[in-house]
Amino acid sequence: MKIRSIETFSGPEVAFVKVTAEDGAIGWGQVAPYHADITALVLHRQVAPWVLGCDVHCDLDDLMDLVGEREHKFPGSHLRRAMGGFDTALWDLRGRLAGKPVVELLGGKPTTLRAYASSMKRDITPADEAERFKRLRGEQGFDAFKFRVGAEVGRNADEWPGRTEEIIPTIRRALSDGVDLLADANSCYSPARAIEVGRLMEAHGMVHYEEPCPYWELEQTRQVTQALDMDVAGGEQDCEFSVWKQIIRDRTVDIVQPDVLYLGGIARSMRLASMAAAAGMPVTPHAANRSMVTIFTMHYLAAIPNAGKYLELSIEGEDYYPWERGLFLTDPYRVEDGHVRISDEPGWGIEISPEWLDKATYQSSRVDA
Ligand SMILES: [Mg+2]
């Protein structure tokens, strides 16, 4: 049975993808968020020509390679982001056909997952961040939290002078020893400064240090990983296997952190998990908002043997992510005791709001049966 059409429903931040097979079976997915309307255009222009007419049960990983080969003049992010939309819609269709959640098609079971509460904010004071974390621990039972250090791609600058030196002990004091603390530097530091900040984190028992140096400077990141005892994590931006091979071969990081959609979908993410597993490295994916990407990541984490300790779950609301409003009919990210639950419904187990779809920009590509 062949795929006959690809439809997209786009806004500037998020775009959903619907695939339809010859017999009318459908599946829903999503391209990577941000400039999603541009990515949707890439999907129709540069992905659809190579994937329309494929069999529903084709070798998707190989088909995605083929798209990269056909579009070899356009390596990089937008192509992979667009491929992720097709891939995730096809997995949903396969799940619906089989009457199984995607996690089962990937070899896992719908289960609960430990989540870490992930802050996206740098403009928040250390005291306010500590208060927020304490409240979330009380209300939702989180026992792992990530906060931001340095300035984003900050050339060693802090968000304001002294914030990093203040937030590390402030958060530690506010939360008891049993709580895992993670930090993200978003490509801020030179190796020397990154190691200095890392030592301060180690002194406060922190466990995960994300993207300490400009992420494209693999050698800089590797220096930090080698110098520190705590785990260094990274890779969310990396969408080409040529780079991932280097990261894994050189142990650039301790924990690999792909984004399922930036990388190009579930099939490619499964391949990456295998590459990391062969090297004995855990996978703690990047999933920084409450669009569908975190649902995809939940199914993925429950299916791979080398899943890291937790799911990333954004704690930001509509003040930070106004575009998350009204995407779904139900909330797939309810937290109980610090855990989220994977739906056991077929496919991704989520319904996109028809009202949201009605307001989106519509485009379609199709082939005749
Ligand atoms: Mg990050």
Side-chain angles (χ1 to χ4, degrees), residues 278-323:
M281 297 168 84
V283 180
T284 300
H286 172 256
N289 59 77
R290 296 191 176 205
S291 68
M292 278 177 102
V293 65
T294 303
I295 301 174
F296 305 149
T297 306
M298 287 159 64
H299 286 250
Y300 173 63
L301 265 181
I304 58 174
N306 51 334
K309 288 190 272 186
Y310 11 58
L311 171 81
E312 175 170 22
L313 186 65
S314 159
I315 56 170
E316 304 306 343
E318 290 184 3
D319 63 322
Y320 192 89
Y321 284 138
W323 56 268

Side-chain angles (χ1 to χ4, degrees), residues 112-117 136-145 310 313 333-341:
T112 60
L113 291 170
R114 182 183 179 197
Y116 74 79
L136 284 167
R137 187 181 52 172
E139 288 172 1
Q140 299 183 37
F142 287 108
D143 65 356
F145 296 84
Y310 11 58
L313 186 65
Y333 302 124
R334 250 175 9 98
V335 179
E336 255 177 82
D337 257 346
H339 287 64
V340 292
R341 177 175 292 280

Side-chain angles (χ1 to χ4, degrees), residues 184 186 210 236 286:
D184 193 344
N186 296 94
E210 191 169 317
E236 65 188 68
H286 172 256

Side-chain angles (χ1 to χ4, degrees), residues 214-225 238 242-244 246-247 250-253:
Y215 72 83
W216 56 93
E217 298 288 358
L218 301 185
E219 187 48 36
Q220 292 187 16
T221 305
R222 196 179 69 93
Q223 285 176 39
V224 179
T225 302
D238 293 297
S242 52
V243 176
W244 274 111
Q246 255 179 288
I247 290 173
D250 297 345
R251 303 236 151 210
T252 303
V253 292

Side-chain angles (χ1 to χ4, degrees), residues 322-337:
W323 56 268
E324 287 182 356
R325 189 182 309 129
L327 296 178
F328 310 119
L329 294 184
T330 52
D331 177 11
Y333 302 124
R334 250 175 9 98
V335 179
E336 255 177 82
D337 257 346

Side-chain angles (χ1 to χ4, degrees), residues 166-217:
E166 188 187 344
I167 196 167
I168 292 168
T170 301
I171 301 289
R172 181 80 280 172
R173 264 197 310 275
L175 300 168
S176 54
D177 280 348
V179 170
D180 276 8
L181 294 185
L182 301 73
D184 193 344
N186 296 94
S187 293
C188 183
Y189 300 127
S190 64
R193 176 66 180 144
I195 292 165
E196 199 173 56
V197 171
R199 292 279 180 233
L200 183 65
M201 290 187 204
E202 288 178 344
H204 290 84
M206 294 183 58
V207 296
H208 167 121
Y209 187 4
E210 191 169 317
E211 219 173 90
C213 301
Y215 72 83
W216 56 93
E217 298 288 358

